[in-house]
Amino acid sequence: MRLMYSAIIFFLALLFTSTTQAAVLDDVTQALKNGTPTFEMRWSFEVSDLNDGEKAKAVGLNVRTRIGYRTADLYDKFSAYIQLHNVTNLVENYRWPGGGDAGYDVIGDPDGSRVHQAYLDIKCPKHAGLVRIGKQEILFDDVRLIGNIGWRQNGQSFDAAKVSISPIKDVTFDAAYVSRVNTIFLTHFDLNGYWFHVTYAGLKNHKISLFAYLNDFEDNDYRDSATYGLRAFGKVPFQDNAALRYDFTIAYQTDFAEDGDPSSFITVGSETLEEHGAMMLNLFVATDLKLNLPYIQMGSFGFGYQMLEGAHGKDKPFDTLFSTAHKWNGWADQFLATNGGTLWNGLEDYWVEAAVKFAGVKFKAVYHYFDTETKVDGLYNNYDGKYGQEFDLLLVKPFNKNITGLIKAAFFDADNDAEANGVPVEDETVFWTRLTIKF
């Protein structure tokens, strides 16, 4: 919260040096009175059955409530937002890292309350950009590296100072300094993060972004790294009712801060990992169709490939940083170790997906085939085969603009050879149903 305190001091000093105290108090009062409240309630029922032979099936029922308030603009320049957050567990037959009932499988939703967001916004001259200081969500691109982990009930936010400007037409530049990460487990850790992101949107139906994320972890030198990359995405219409959609990302990770120092080394199998030098590649192509059939509004079919390099010699696996990992590599969450750079064998994920919107209901099905990217000497009997496969299903029904229902399921089938060699994958079935009310 150091950034928030500094922002408040700066804000007050700027106000009281520019006008009289009485006028300032009156204007601030009006900004507070003319603000806008926000409200969100999300009910979630989840069952997770991991075939590990030791733990009982996890069952959870909880409700997430977020209440916020955004002030009106003050002097057409300043505004503020605060969002209070609570998760209440009504059925808690599960565990999570650091809590819950150890006799059950994992559901990553501890109960508790916190301030999820609290920030001050300052508009740049001529509305050319925005400075945001305080506790905030930050989402870049497709949240593969930086996101809010919105699927989990507690979510993720950052204590940060972030600048978003448009210095020239069709170009948006974001720069952020991040001092703390507020995790989905209601914990936090300190960070010196320097994040830069540029997007060019001057080509019709296409965008290109460049990014650099430099992270110095206060208490985890192993993860200190610099990540540089490029993303290109968009669509190519080829008929009035059809388009080819594509999304391509490539990123490279290298040393930063204490990475390369002995304090950052770790031994895995017979290899000692000393530095970052891994790549990530993501490619997705889909065909989108607008359909005028009875009850069917749209359909799509696509396929994708994602590669995350594992440990090679002295190089550590690719770390997907603070991503919304649930969005990627299967909804059963077998590969969350990519956040943290500890998926030692890396990952190659091949998938196909199909979606249709029928009578206002969205249906989606996804099939994944998971393979290791490398083997590590002395680990899992030098295993370099496949991890397994997964089938995912999703149904989303908006009842109106404020209420949405969801049913979702994931079925992961671990490869027998992977299990036999000690690779940390297990057969798993996960089911969710949710109801979100949002104003």
Side-chain angles (χ1 to χ4, degrees), residues 103-160:
Y104 292 95
D105 288 331
V106 172
I107 294 177
D109 292 331
D111 59 339
S113 302
R114 69 178 175 191
V115 177
H116 183 60
Q117 297 190 87
Y119 55 77
L120 172 69
D121 280 346
I122 307 172
K123 293 181 180 178
C124 298
K126 298 182 181 180
H127 302 284
L130 185 74
V131 178
R132 176 167 293 174
I133 305 173
K135 194 181 299 291
Q136 59 189 280
E137 292 186 346
I138 299 178
L139 295 83
F140 284 138
D141 286 316
D142 51 7
V143 298
R144 190 58 189 108
L145 297 174
I146 308 292
N148 62 351
I149 314 186
W151 175 250
R152 293 271 39 117
Q153 289 289 73
N154 285 302
Q156 176 175 263
S157 65
F158 306 94
D159 290 8

Side-chain angles (χ1 to χ4, degrees), residues 257-276:
E258 301 303 319
D259 195 55
D261 185 89
S263 64
S264 71
F265 295 175
I266 189 171
T267 299
V268 177
S270 58
E271 301 285 353
T272 298
L273 309 182
E274 301 181 1
E275 56 194 16
H276 279 98

